[in-house]
C-alpha cells in the first residue's frame, strides 16, 4: 500500500483510502459511536410500535424498548468521552447483542407456537413474529462493540 503522504506534500485521498485513513487515525471510532446512538433510538422506536401491536403480551417485549435509550446514551457518551467509549458503550452494546439473540430465540419460539408450527413454516414466518428483526437489534449492539475496540483520535 502506498503512503498517504509523500515527501511533505499531501496526496489527494479518495474513496476507500479515506475510510482506511479514518480508521487508522481513530476518527471512525466517534462516528461509529454516534451511529450506535442513532441506531439504538430508531430500532427502539420501531420495536415499541411492533410490540405495542402485540399488546406487549410477553414481559420480555419491554427489554429492547428499555435498552434503546441506554444504547443511545452510551453511544452519545462514546462520542464525547474516550472513557465512556471504552466502558459504558461496550457494556450497553453487549446487553443489546444479548437481548437481540434472546429475541431471535423468542421469535422463533413464537413461530413454532403458531398453528401448524414448523410444518407450516412459510406461512408462520410471514404471519408470525418477524424472525430476523431481533438480529437487526444485534447489529446495532455490534456497531457499539466495534466502536469500543477501535482506536480513538487524539
Amino acid at each position: 500500500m502506498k503512503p498517504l503522504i509523500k515527501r511533505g506534500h499531501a496526496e489527494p485521498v479518495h474513496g476507500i483510502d479515506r475510510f482506511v485513513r479514518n480508521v487508522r487515525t481513530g476518527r471512525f471510532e466517534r462516528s461509529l459511536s454516534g451511529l450506535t446512538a442513532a441506531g439504538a433510538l430508531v430500532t427502539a422506536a420501531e420495536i415499541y410500535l411492533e410490540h405495542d401491536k402485540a399488546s406487549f403480551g410477553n414481559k420480555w417485549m419491554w427489554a429492547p424498548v428499555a435498552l434503546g435509550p441506554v444504547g443511545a446514551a452510551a453511544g452519545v457518551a462514546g462520542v464525547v468521552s474516550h472513557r465512556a467509549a471504552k466502558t459504558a458503550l461496550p457494556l450497553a452494546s453487549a446487553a443489546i447483542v444479548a437481548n437481540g439473540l434472546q429475541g431471535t430465540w423468542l421469535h422463533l419460539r413464537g413461530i413454532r407456537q403458531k398453528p401448524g408450527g414448523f410444518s407450516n413454516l412459510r406461512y408462520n414466518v410471514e404471519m408470525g413474529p418477524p424472525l430476523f428483526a431481533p438480529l437487526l437489534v444485534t447489529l446495532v449492539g455490534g456497531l457499539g462493540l466495534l466502536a469500543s475496540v477501535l482506536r480513538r483520535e487524539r
Side-chain angles (χ1 to χ4, degrees):
M1 179 176 198
K2 67 183 193 181
L4 296 177
I5 297 177
K6 187 177 185 179
R7 299 181 203 239
H9 301 303
E11 281 186 27
V13 180
H14 301 287
I16 194 74
D17 289 337
R18 179 172 299 197
F19 174 76
V20 170
R21 183 185 66 186
N22 287 341
V23 171
R24 281 187 182 154
T25 62
R27 180 167 290 173
F28 190 61
E29 188 257 359
R30 284 186 176 182
S31 302
L32 210 50
S33 295
L35 283 171
T36 301
L41 286 179
V42 170
T43 55
E46 179 65 24
I47 290 166
Y48 175 81
L49 294 174
E50 291 299 317
H51 286 179
D52 190 43
K53 280 197 287 189
S55 302
F56 288 95
N58 183 330
K59 66 180 179 181
W60 282 108
M61 289 180 166
W62 286 103
V65 175
L67 283 173
V70 172
V76 169
V79 170
V80 176
S81 164
H82 175 72
R83 178 182 236 172
K86 303 303 179 192
T87 56
L89 185 58
L91 287 174
S93 297
I96 291 170
V97 167
N99 182 251
L101 294 173
Q102 176 196 30
T104 302
W105 179 77
L106 290 171
H107 282 209
L108 190 61
R109 189 180 76 171
I111 290 168
R112 185 192 54 162
Q113 291 173 347
K114 303 277 293 169
F118 292 137
S119 63
N120 197 9
L121 185 64
R122 181 171 177 192
Y123 180 80
N124 287 339
V125 166
E126 291 176 0
M127 301 309 289
L131 181 58
F132 301 113
L135 293 175
L136 295 174
V137 176
T138 304
L139 285 175
V140 170
L143 286 176
L145 289 173
L146 179 59
S148 67
V149 298
L150 290 175
R151 70 187 304 188
R152 178 99 165 185
E153 76 180 326
R154 295 182 190 237

